[in-house]
């Protein structure tokens, strides 16, 4: 179209016009970007979000700061999360809200595991 050939498309519908960029063969175009292996994406109301798994080093840092919160099923507040983020260099790529949600999720998992252990112990007696 840069060559001034737009007049040949006058009066045609979009279905009748076949536009393929130069140098790209039919069927060879990439329709989706390649994703890194360990990153999951999901589509929500606000658009696509990228889910990055928590590393062992990040989990260890969270355990050092928030194990009492996890065991008591207590949600951390913003100031506690920001203190942890400032103290731990491993968590520099994380947001305080993601940290809060991860600690809350860990607390729920811990609570479920403790409940499962107590039911197993009572069932085996």
């Amino acid at each position: 179209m840069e060559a001034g050939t737009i007049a040949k498309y006058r009066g045609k519908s979009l279905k009748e016009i076949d536009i393929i960029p130069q140098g790209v063969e039919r069927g060879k175009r990439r329709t989706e970007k390649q994703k890194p292996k360990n990153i999951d994406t999901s589509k929500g109301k606000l658009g696509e979000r990228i889910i990055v798994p928590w590393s062992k080093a990040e989990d260890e840092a969270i355990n050092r700061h928030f194990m009492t919160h996890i065991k008591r099923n207590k949600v951390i507040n913003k100031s506690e999360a920001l203190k942890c983020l400032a103290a731990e260099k491993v968590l520099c790529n994380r947001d305080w809200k993601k940290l809060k949600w991860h600690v809350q999720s860990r607390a729920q998992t811990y609570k479920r595991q403790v409940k499962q252990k107590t039911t197993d112990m009572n069932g085996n007696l």
Side-chain angles (χ1 to χ4, degrees), residues 40-51:
D40 185 22
T41 59
S42 61
K43 190 92 168 159
K45 286 185 179 179
L46 300 176
E48 188 173 323
R49 81 180 169 150
I50 298 172
I51 301 170

Side-chain angles (χ1 to χ4, degrees), residues 1-46:
M1 291 207 195
E2 291 87 16
T5 59
I6 196 159
K8 69 180 182 181
Y9 298 114
R10 179 175 287 197
K12 292 185 178 181
S13 69
L14 290 176
K15 290 182 181 179
E16 297 171 337
I17 300 172
D18 188 26
I19 300 174
I20 299 176
Q22 292 178 350
V24 177
E25 296 177 23
R26 185 176 292 277
K28 297 282 183 177
R29 283 192 271 186
R30 278 195 310 184
T31 57
E32 189 177 320
K33 294 180 182 176
Q34 291 181 347
K35 299 174 190 172
K37 290 184 178 182
N38 289 335
I39 297 178
D40 185 22
T41 59
S42 61
K43 190 92 168 159
K45 286 185 179 179
L46 300 176

Side-chain angles (χ1 to χ4, degrees), residues 4 26 28 31 38 50 59 67 74 76 82-83 123:
R26 185 176 292 277
K28 297 282 183 177
T31 57
N38 289 335
I50 298 172
D59 278 335
M67 188 50 84
K74 182 182 176 222
I76 65 173
L82 291 176
K83 285 179 188 176

Side-chain angles (χ1 to χ4, degrees), residues 50-112:
I50 298 172
I51 301 170
V52 181
W54 292 80
S55 69
K56 289 182 181 181
E58 289 173 326
D59 278 335
E60 289 171 1
I62 290 170
N63 287 342
R64 278 194 298 273
H65 286 273
F66 300 118
M67 188 50 84
T68 56
H69 289 75
I70 292 169
K71 288 183 177 179
R72 294 180 183 168
N73 199 18
K74 182 182 176 222
V75 180
I76 65 173
N77 57 32
K78 183 177 180 178
S79 64
E80 291 171 330
L82 291 176
K83 285 179 188 176
C84 178
L85 290 173
E88 297 290 340
K89 300 295 181 194
V90 181
L91 299 171
C92 65
N93 294 328
R94 300 290 183 169
D95 184 18
W96 75 269
K97 286 185 180 180
K98 289 187 182 192
L99 179 64
K100 175 186 172 187
W101 292 329
H102 184 67
V103 171
Q104 187 174 2
S105 174
R106 292 274 311 275
Q108 291 296 319
T109 303
Y110 180 80
K111 180 180 172 183
R112 199 175 327 112

